Amino acid sequence: MKVVTINGSPKKNGNTATALDAVSAALRENGIETERIDIGTRAIHGCIACGKCFEMKNRRCILDDDILNATLETVYTADGIVVGSPVHYAGIGGALKSYLDRAFFVAAANGGLFRHKAAAGIVAVRRGGEVAAWDQLNKYFTISEMFMASSHYWNMVFGHAPGECKDDGEGMQGMQILGENLAWLVKALAAGKESLPPAREKIMTNFIR
């Protein structure tokens, strides 16, 4: 069993990465393999709503940049994902949003590739806007029928300089607990795979007619 963590920060060793690595350490202690993908400094185009992923159905985006298609299979075949972001203007990082918009749209176009996987979002913040950014991450999971792991508080750490979040004792303990709970959830989903609810054809209702 494997969980992929996605670091949406432009700093590979910043507070977002530190928090993700704490979650990964707890996962590995509980027998779950982990892999981290760093995307924060990559040039990632936003979704252009072309719909080609629904036509191709090859689990890829037609925009072939240097990171998205190269990592999609790693993400889609994992048992769970943890997405981490810094807080930029009370929201997630721009590169991460472009990555998630396209990754989740391609997943939907190919029959719901994230459906019934385990998920969690975490944010690293200097001072404020963290709840709005965390809520933004959670919306990707809930629209995709993913099961979300929780901790003893909202999944956030505070810090400015790289590594400063290690001084946030409550936040870092939250990352450990999140990893432990996520490990249990991944194992529980694997054990109950045969009894998961069936997929249903989605009814689309537009508000303007």
Side-chain angles (χ1 to χ4, degrees), residues 87-91 129:
V87 176
H88 293 172
Y89 292 94

Side-chain angles (χ1 to χ4, degrees), residues 14-26:
N15 290 311
T16 304
T18 300
L20 284 171
D21 289 348
V23 176
S24 293

Side-chain angles (χ1 to χ4, degrees), residues 95-205:
L96 178 62
K97 186 179 189 308
S98 293
Y99 183 97
L100 294 178
D101 283 353
R102 289 166 62 197
F104 275 77
F105 207 53
V106 171
N110 286 270
L113 301 178
F114 284 122
R115 184 173 182 270
H116 290 169
K117 291 184 183 292
I122 69 170
V123 293
V125 61
R126 182 192 71 83
R127 183 170 177 84
E130 68 284 353
V131 172
W134 185 55
D135 180 63
Q136 190 178 359
L137 288 177
N138 291 338
K139 286 182 167 60
Y140 289 97
F141 310 142
T142 54
I143 200 173
S144 304
E145 293 189 65
M146 302 182 81
F147 295 108
M148 293 167 54
S150 62
S151 186
H152 67 348
Y153 199 74
W154 320 137
N155 302 336
M156 60 189 68
V157 294
F158 287 82
H160 184 215
E164 196 170 52
C165 68
K166 292 179 180 178
D167 294 328
D168 177 8
E170 184 174 354
M172 293 303 291
Q173 184 187 52
M175 297 301 108
Q176 179 184 0
I177 293 172
L178 177 62
E180 293 169 350
N181 289 344
L182 184 59
W184 180 90
L185 179 58
V186 167
K187 293 174 183 177
L189 287 171
K193 187 175 183 179
E194 299 303 320
S195 62
L196 287 169
R200 297 185 180 275
E201 185 175 351
K202 187 171 184 177
I203 298 173
M204 300 289 287
T205 304

Side-chain angles (χ1 to χ4, degrees), residues 38-53:
D38 297 293
I39 64 158
T41 60
R42 303 298 189 99
I44 306 175
H45 202 293
C47 178
I48 61 173
C50 65
K52 292 296 184 182
C53 52

